[in-house]
Amino acid sequence: MNTLVALCAVGAERILGNEIKHLGYKLNGNAPGRVSFLGDDDALFKANLCLRTADRVYLQLAEYDALNFDDLYDGTYNIRWQDYLRKDSRVIVDKVRSYKSKLNSEHSIQGIVHKAIYSKLGDVWKMSSMPETGEESDIRVYVDENKVLILLDLSGLPLHKRGYRVDGGIAPLRETLASVLLQEMMWRRKTPLHDPFCGSGTIAIEATLYAFNVAPGFGRRFALENLSIYNAERAQQIRDEEASKIRTDVEVRITGSDIDNAAVERSKKNAEYACVMAGRALKSIGISAHIPRPDFIQSDFADLAAPYDEGLLLCNPPYGERLGDADQARELYKNIQSLWTDFNGWDIGIITSNEEFQENFGHKTSAIKKLKAGNLDTSFYIYRR
């Protein structure tokens, strides 16, 4: 059994935990922005392929106490690095986080861990120096209250980089965060969904992948594939198993709009790539079914009218930085009150980093969820009707 750690937006730990449990794995605790769980060898690949709300997945190689640098070095050296890395691997200790610990110099921790890894590999393989000509293998280190976690990156590029978005436009919403919003709203595929500020189409596309049960990682590779523990044959079997779960017999009503025609064309292009990705997964198992694309139109939000009595309006409207003027953002938030009336009977979810949104929008929220993705603090306003 392996201990894995999945990272997510701070505030999304519960949503990610539910996803992990749905995959059949047991939770093993969490901290802000990360969830630990137990999984078999399949989980190393399957978690990367299937998790919609995780930003990265790591394999935990060690957990031990360290009160000084000797403890840190010994604990790292004792890991069987030769079981995971290849002789030409280029090891990078990419991130270190220290919290309430005697070892609080992140730069020094980084250097000691790196030295211990190469010392161990050199001793095992009888090499005075490592060639470092192969693929990069990233290590992350957490030191929380003198307890050290050594994590090996299994993802590579962040998992929000699905492989379908060829153009994100200005300040695009992360794909993983869009999936978090869908889960926070408890959206179901039979419910009509519309994004009136579609931008690059992320919300509608992630909803489409979810509705048709398309694993989000079909269009990309993972860092796991560069490690000695990678089982290519089993990974292909997992891909095929997940491809067979894609639903092509469901009816969904997913749409998006934007006043900017370039945004509409961008959304259409990204959606096409995403659905082609799903089609290729189906074709790999001998199925030629077609995944319907979400519909995007050019329209000012003020000209929209609800096409159904009930549904979900979910969006990431422009804020001050994107508009170039905070006054413009305030005016926009006042104006989008029209959506409240025009989509009467629809639930509404709006994410923004603008602290004045609630005051300007003018309606009492059912709930506010704080979410932090990267360095951006956002609030997700949920209106149930």
Side-chain angles (χ1 to χ4, degrees):
M1 191 63 66
N2 305 291
T3 299
L4 297 99
V5 176
L7 305 189
C8 63
V10 175
E13 298 84 6
R14 178 184 59 84
I15 296 294
L16 174 56
N18 288 340
E19 252 205 297
I20 290 169
K21 288 190 290 186
H22 185 72
L23 283 183
Y25 302 123
K26 183 179 179 181
L27 299 183
N28 191 44
N30 62 52
R34 65 183 197 259
V35 178
S36 176
F37 63 102
L38 304 177
D40 55 14
D41 289 345
D42 283 355
L44 307 185
F45 186 80
K46 192 172 183 178
N48 279 286
L49 181 68
C50 297
L51 289 177
R52 300 179 190 278
T53 61
D55 289 320
R56 286 186 183 275
V57 176
Y58 290 89
L59 176 61
Q60 181 177 307
L61 300 185
E63 180 180 12
Y64 60 91
D65 295 324
L67 300 177
N68 53 56
F69 286 116
D70 287 339
D71 293 341
L72 177 67
Y73 180 93
D74 291 343
T76 304
Y77 184 92
N78 289 335
I79 297 169
R80 291 183 58 85
W81 293 101
Q82 66 274 21
D83 293 344
Y84 305 99
L85 304 176
R86 294 173 176 165
K87 288 188 176 182
D88 62 350
S89 294
R90 182 162 57 93
V91 178
I92 304 293
V93 183
D94 72 327
K95 289 285 179 65
V96 174
R97 294 289 183 267
S98 179
Y99 175 74
K100 290 185 178 180
S101 298
K102 291 188 174 182
L103 298 178
N104 54 25
S105 170
E106 295 180 353
H107 180 74
S108 297
I109 293 169
Q110 185 179 37
I112 292 295
V113 169
H114 193 270
K115 179 180 178 181
I117 295 171
Y118 275 130
S119 294
K120 177 60 172 282
L121 293 176
D123 291 346
V124 170
W125 289 329
K126 310 300 181 185
M127 302 171 69
S128 59
S129 64
M130 307 303 296
E132 298 188 283
T133 55
E135 298 291 339
E136 181 179 308
S137 292
D138 290 341
I139 310 298
R140 181 164 294 201
V141 182
Y142 289 101
V143 187
D144 290 342
E145 298 182 344
N146 301 313
K147 187 171 292 291
V148 178
L149 291 181
I150 305 291
L151 307 178
L152 175 61
D153 182 24
L154 301 179
S155 300
L157 290 174
L159 293 177
H160 74 266
K161 296 189 176 182
R162 312 289 204 211
Y164 64 71
R165 190 158 69 181
V166 294
D167 183 0
I170 301 173
L173 184 70
R174 284 187 180 182
E175 292 85 341
T176 47
L177 189 54
S179 291
V180 169
L181 304 186
L182 288 164
Q183 294 303 316
E184 285 286 358
M185 295 301 301
M186 295 182 289
W187 181 74
R188 296 295 177 261
R189 62 171 63 91
K190 67 180 181 180
T191 303
L193 181 145
H194 184 76
D195 177 1
F197 302 95
C198 64
S200 58
T202 305
I203 289 175
I205 295 169
E206 288 298 314
T208 298
L209 296 181
Y210 176 72
F212 292 101
N213 204 34
V214 179
F218 275 128
R220 52 164 291 167
R221 298 181 73 257
F222 308 107
L224 170 64
E225 299 173 50
N226 302 324
L227 301 174
S228 297
I229 55 174
Y230 178 58
N231 184 334
E233 181 178 353
R234 181 56 189 147
Q236 186 57 54
Q237 291 173 350
I238 293 172
R239 280 185 179 274
D240 291 346
E241 291 167 4
E242 293 304 317
S244 70
K245 297 176 184 178
I246 295 176
R247 297 284 301 274
T248 59
D249 59 343
V250 294
E251 180 182 356
V252 299
R253 292 162 289 181
I254 300 171
T255 54
S257 60
D258 203 291
I259 193 172
D260 181 5
N261 188 58
V264 173
E265 293 304 313
R266 184 187 307 123
S267 297
K268 289 179 179 179
K269 184 181 295 184
N270 291 336
E272 181 66 21
Y273 273 93
C275 293
V276 166
M277 174 189 76
R280 287 173 179 166
L282 287 169
K283 189 175 181 180
S284 70
I285 58 171
I287 297 175
S288 58
H290 177 80
I291 300 295
R293 280 63 170 156
D295 292 324
F296 297 99
I297 62 168
Q298 182 182 11
S299 176
D300 189 329
F301 68 86
D303 298 328
L304 297 173
Y308 307 101
D309 291 337
E310 296 179 343
L312 170 61
L313 199 71
L314 184 61
C315 61
N316 172 36
Y319 49 89
E321 182 181 338
R322 291 168 65 189
L323 289 172
D325 188 298
D327 290 336
Q328 285 182 280
R330 282 191 289 271
E331 190 66 22
L332 171 66
Y333 294 151
K334 290 178 181 178
N335 290 338
I336 62 176
Q337 293 184 47
S338 64
L339 294 171
W340 183 271
T341 303
D342 295 337
F343 285 78
N344 185 36
W346 285 48
D347 289 341
I348 299 176
I350 300 175
I351 187 169
T352 176
S353 64
N354 190 297
E355 297 178 355
E356 299 178 2
F357 170 78
Q358 178 79 343
E359 176 185 347
N360 292 314
F361 187 56
H363 294 281
K364 186 177 180 180
T365 183
S366 304
I368 302 175
K369 182 73 175 178
K370 299 291 186 180
L371 295 166
K372 183 171 184 177
N375 295 321
L376 186 63
D377 292 306
T378 64
S379 295
F380 184 46
Y381 297 89
I382 299 172
Y383 301 89
R384 304 282 186 191
R385 300 200 288 175

